[in-house]
Amino acid sequence: KEKIHCDKVPAEKSIDFRPKEANDRSEYGHWEGDLVVGKDGKGAALLTFTERMTREEIILKIPSKHAVNVAKSIDKLERKYKTEFKNKFKTITFDNGVEFRDYKALERSYDKRKKEPRLQVYYAHPYRSGERGSNENANRLIRRFIPKGTVITNISEDFIQQIENWINNLLRPMFEYKSSLEMAKNVS
């Protein structure tokens, strides 16, 4: 069993303390995160992030649903976006799954010279998936391509990228038939 480095998530990590800009979707950079797991919850999983304001989607394949893989994936995003990372990722709201509970590892930069947290992690209330509704809706879109019971280990990175592109280019009535990518370009 995986050892998690935090015994209990402090109260200030509750969604109740998330910034107003995240709650009212008035600022870019506040994300919701979750996992899409494969058959029997074993093997590879998809780590999904949905930006709250634009509904921009990021999908990363991880080897398993362990906390260490979630933290390594955020490290990978930090390396990819470099100096833009802090603007792109201000907060991430997760559910209370054990794979997300090590908030210190998720907030800590891979670059040991950086003492400030790279982002802030918050947690939805238990059994309140609607508090991360944008991400839940995006995960349903992913399930159009990868139905429950599918072995995610066998899914190619190219196919995952095609799904991400499809979601990000989907014309959305809520945005006057603009895509999430178009919306993101206008705010970032």
Side-chain angles (χ1 to χ4, degrees), residues 135-157:
N135 188 243
E136 292 292 330
N137 288 333
N139 289 348
R140 275 195 287 281
L141 292 174
I142 292 167
R143 287 292 189 196
R144 290 181 178 190
F145 300 92
I146 303 173
K148 286 189 179 197
T150 302
V151 177
I152 292 176
T153 304
N154 299 335
I155 308 253
S156 74
E157 297 283 347

Side-chain angles (χ1 to χ4, degrees), residues 6 16 19 22 34 44-45 50 80 82 93 96 122-123 134 178 181:
C6 60
D16 296 331
D34 198 10
T50 309
K80 176 180 179 179
K82 297 179 177 125
T93 303
N96 286 275
Y122 295 94
Y123 297 93
S134 296
K178 292 180 182 156
L181 285 183

Side-chain angles (χ1 to χ4, degrees), residues 45-132:
L46 300 178
L47 178 59
T48 65
F49 296 105
T50 309
E51 202 281 323
R52 287 183 51 78
M53 181 182 191
T54 65
R55 309 315 194 272
E56 178 183 354
E57 189 71 9
I58 295 173
I59 308 170
L60 302 171
K61 184 176 177 181
I62 60 176
S64 69
K65 65 178 194 171
H66 293 105
V68 67
N69 294 319
V70 174
K72 284 180 180 178
S73 292
I74 297 174
D75 290 348
K76 183 178 173 181
L77 290 171
E78 186 181 7
R79 284 183 180 97
K80 176 180 179 179
Y81 291 105
K82 297 179 177 125
T83 58
E84 280 302 305
F85 182 85
K86 276 193 108 36
N87 291 326
K88 190 160 185 82
F89 295 91
K90 295 175 175 91
T91 68
I92 302 176
T93 303
F94 292 110
D95 63 24
N96 286 275
V98 68
E99 61 274 10
F100 305 123
R101 296 304 296 261
D102 192 356
Y103 69 92
K104 290 179 182 176
L106 301 177
E107 291 180 346
R108 183 177 46 245
S109 175
Y110 73 91
D111 184 345
K112 304 298 181 218
R113 296 171 296 176
K114 295 181 181 178
K115 300 301 177 207
E116 298 272 320
R118 61 180 163 194
L119 55 81
Q120 292 295 313
V121 171
Y122 295 94
Y123 297 93
H125 295 106
Y127 310 107
R128 301 277 297 273
S129 61
E131 291 178 341
R132 298 177 311 83

